[in-house]
Amino acid sequence: MSTQELKSTIRDMVVVGKGILAADESVKTATKRLASIGTESTEETRRQYRNLILTAPGIEKYICGVILFEETLSQKTDNGISFPEHLTKVGVVPGIKVDEGLAEFEGSVEQYTKGLDGLGSRLEKYKKFGCRFAKWRAVYHITENTPTEMAIKRNAEDLAKYAKICQEHGIVPIVEPEVLIDGTHSIDTCYKVTEKVLKEVFAALKKENVMIDYTILKPSMVISGKEASNRAGVDEVAGKTVKCLKATVPAELPSINFLSGGQAPQEATAHLNRMHTLGENLPWYVSFSYARALQDPALKTWQGKKENFGAGQIAFIKRAKLNSLATMGKYAENMENNNLNIVAVH
Ligand code: 5MM
């Protein structure tokens, strides 16, 4: 197997000041997002929304890769170019979510991820659309009795099998183990669970002979449960996240790109920024792969209305720029009220 493709994809996706946009919401999730602005979810409204985000002028200054959903691969921009072609043209690497969603372990709240069957042939199909990387998400629920050893092990093994198949097909795998934020748990409980999960994931990747230097990790941050009392502040989240990653993630991994996992956009940016101002030596590039924390302000501004198209794009570019600054520790809270010289082109 030639590693040339993997090498050039990593080169194009690990770029100082840039991060990854997750725009891979399944139809079910996209429908939920559109419902939040009172817009019906149809193939056409999903296309219109993706067109707003993916054709935002200047996206390539802050975003190096976009995770797409299968439906989007064959949809077109308002200018009639397919979305993957448009992204490639502006210098952004297209990628694809290849997992097929979650299923419950019998009699449990715990879940595993579907999609290993026929993955190789699907990857070959996605490559023809220009996709150069893939994403697979596993989730871990924190309750009194979970996550169990069984769920941690099974999800790690499946993430490793997926990553191996991707690399065999010249596709860079994004490995996404998400410790869910839902619940009343403390940040210390989240730390313990995340540490266990990441140790198991890297042990499984090693066992499966996955090339770590051609892999991207998309983890959740170490953070208090959403309904916890006395939730940890920015310094503690950043400090404990970096400590946990240093204890579990090999230095040869090129890039860690966080998910936002239900954090407010401003919160996700502040946490990332703080990780870069702790004065810690970070052996990997540390950046973002947010969906909601990058898109929510744009969605709310757009409201499904043509006349808000330009303003929606500005809202998206602003979030992308603020997160870009955060990857360099250059974000400050007062920038939230500034227009950052972003202007509408349409
Ligand atoms: C955790 O979700 C991923 C990151 O998004 P956030 O930054 O909003 O947490 C995201 O890539 C997610 O996997 C996609 O939105 C797809 O979700 P579904 O549930 O539709 O597969």
Side-chain angles (χ1 to χ4, degrees):
M1 179 212 337
S2 152
T3 53
Q4 201 42 51
E5 280 175 305
L6 300 171
K7 202 176 190 171
S8 64
T9 301
I10 287 291
R11 187 201 56 217
D12 294 344
M13 292 186 68
V14 185
V15 183
V16 176
K18 296 192 189 185
I20 299 168
L21 163 69
D24 60 323
E25 297 85 356
S26 56
V27 171
K28 193 173 154 205
T29 307
T31 301
K32 220 160 87 182
R33 302 276 183 267
L34 290 172
S36 74
I37 56 161
T39 298
E40 191 195 346
S41 174
T42 63
E43 209 178 318
E44 175 55 15
T45 55
R46 293 191 293 276
R47 187 204 67 80
Q48 284 170 6
Y49 176 58
R50 255 109 198 200
N51 178 66
L52 180 152
I53 297 288
L54 302 179
T55 67
I59 183 174
E60 70 283 357
K61 286 194 266 178
Y62 315 111
I63 302 290
C64 54
V66 179
I67 315 170
L68 299 167
F69 177 62
E70 191 166 7
E71 176 185 67
T72 315
L73 294 182
S74 40
Q75 288 181 328
K76 293 189 170 131
T77 67
D78 284 351
N79 291 333
I81 310 172
S82 82
F83 284 118
E85 266 180 84
H86 159 74
L87 290 171
T88 304
K89 209 169 128 209
V90 298
V92 176
V93 183
I96 177 81
K97 183 240 296 291
V98 297
D99 67 66
E100 294 179 324
L102 304 168
E104 276 84 41
F105 288 109
E106 226 182 290
S108 165
V109 293
E110 294 196 282
Q111 292 168 303
Y112 63 93
T113 307
K114 298 179 290 181
L116 282 174
D117 285 347
L119 178 56
S121 49
R122 280 195 292 131
L123 290 174
E124 286 306 319
K125 181 175 94 186
Y126 299 145
K127 275 185 96 164
K128 292 197 181 108
F129 281 99
C131 296
R132 296 167 61 197
F133 71 94
K135 192 209 81 168
W136 177 286
R137 171 174 173 251
V139 301
Y140 306 85
H141 297 256
I142 299 186
T143 68
E144 224 168 282
N145 314 310
T146 64
T148 58
E149 301 286 339
M150 180 275 297
I152 291 177
K153 199 160 185 293
R154 165 71 189 272
N155 279 307
E157 285 168 0
D158 287 356
L159 277 166
K161 283 181 196 156
Y162 139 81
K164 181 75 186 168
I165 297 170
C166 285
Q167 290 186 342
E168 283 168 354
H169 288 266
I171 294 274
V172 166
I174 296 187
V175 169
E176 182 182 7
E178 178 179 9
V179 176
L180 296 169
I181 200 171
D182 310 316
T184 55
H185 54 270
S186 68
I187 187 169
D188 291 328
T189 300
C190 182
Y191 185 104
K192 279 187 209 134
V193 170
T194 307
E195 187 180 37
K196 234 186 196 176
V197 163
L198 291 178
K199 274 192 177 153
E200 198 70 35
V201 166
F202 282 99
L205 292 173
K206 196 170 167 206
K207 202 166 158 204
E208 209 50 73
N209 289 317
V210 172
M211 293 175 280
I212 300 296
D213 45 343
Y214 300 130
T215 301
I216 293 174
L217 177 70
K218 174 167 173 168
S220 39
M221 293 182 195
V222 174
I223 194 164
S224 315
K226 198 139 201 180
E227 290 85 39
S229 46
N230 298 321
R231 298 189 74 225
V234 175
D235 290 352
E236 197 177 353
V237 170
K240 288 188 171 164
T241 300
V242 166
K243 186 174 172 213
C244 186
L245 293 170
K246 281 190 157 184
T248 51
V249 182
E252 66 261 36
L253 184 99
S255 189
I256 293 178
N257 294 69
F258 288 103
L259 58 90
S260 57
Q263 297 178 46
Q266 206 172 324
E267 211 186 351
T269 310
H271 287 150
L272 178 62
N273 186 70
R274 188 71 185 105
M275 290 182 215
H276 287 278
T277 59
L278 290 169
E280 292 265 354
N281 170 40
L282 305 173
W284 345 263
Y285 179 54
V286 175
S287 183
F288 57 89
S289 174
Y290 301 152
R292 286 163 286 180
L294 276 170
Q295 297 183 51
D296 276 2
L299 182 69
K300 286 199 183 99
T301 306
W302 177 50
Q303 291 291 317
K305 296 194 173 101
K306 237 183 180 164
E307 61 269 30
N308 297 336
F309 185 83
Q313 290 195 320
I314 288 178
F316 169 67
I317 292 296
K318 179 171 175 179
R319 234 31 269 158
K321 186 169 181 177
L322 290 172
N323 283 296
S324 159
L325 290 167
T327 65
M328 300 177 281
K330 292 181 180 166
Y331 162 81
E333 214 182 299
N334 62 11
M335 293 173 177
E336 295 287 346
N337 306 318
N338 194 311
N339 70 10
L340 305 175
N341 300 322
I342 299 163
V343 286
V345 170
H346 296 271

